[in-house]
Amino acid sequence: MADAHPLIQPPAQAGRPGLHAMYGAADTKLKVEQLSFFYGKKQALKDVTFQIPEKRITAIIGPSGCGKSTLLRVFNRMYDLVPAAYATGSALLDGEDIVTTRKLLELRQKVG
């Protein structure tokens, strides 16, 4: 029998659809808040906010050039290898901020 609980509604953002987990979903594994990414002066991601529950299948879909691969690179901190590339906001993996962590080997083992 399907879960009859309604979706949890996050605060509305002007012109943007809400991305949220269903009621009773697993604990949050990855929580992204106001994440923006820049290649120098060019902004590739703007204020991305969503949550991924633990032990659930999640798909990131969209047209070519919308930032899917850039978002995955942020999760693994692969942008550290690109001069002048940086992220703002937060992406918490098990409560630790990916954007500011210095434990890159541990992060990449977890994310990979």
Side-chain angles (χ1 to χ4, degrees), residues 3-106:
D3 190 355
H5 295 287
L7 295 176
I8 298 170
Q9 297 297 324
Q13 294 180 353
R16 297 183 74 170
L19 301 175
H20 45 275
M22 292 198 53
Y23 178 80
D27 292 337
T28 299
K29 182 71 172 181
L30 179 66
K31 183 176 184 179
V32 179
E33 292 184 343
Q34 301 297 306
L35 181 69
S36 294
F37 185 78
F38 300 84
Y39 290 104
K41 292 181 181 180
K42 181 176 176 10
Q43 188 170 11
L45 298 174
K46 183 178 179 183
D47 298 327
V48 176
T49 298
F50 65 94
Q51 295 179 21
I52 296 177
E54 189 172 43
K55 297 180 183 174
R56 302 283 189 209
I57 296 172
T58 302
I60 300 172
I61 60 174
S64 177
C66 73
K68 300 177 302 288
S69 295
T70 297
L71 181 63
L72 294 177
R73 284 188 192 100
V74 170
F75 294 160
N76 218 3
R77 280 287 291 279
M78 297 308 293
Y79 64 86
D80 285 354
L81 306 173
V82 179
Y86 65 97
T88 62
S90 69
L92 303 175
L93 177 64
D94 293 331
E96 185 168 355
D97 194 355
I98 291 170
V99 174
T100 60
T101 189
R102 296 198 180 275
K103 302 174 189 175
L104 295 182
L105 179 60
E106 291 175 26

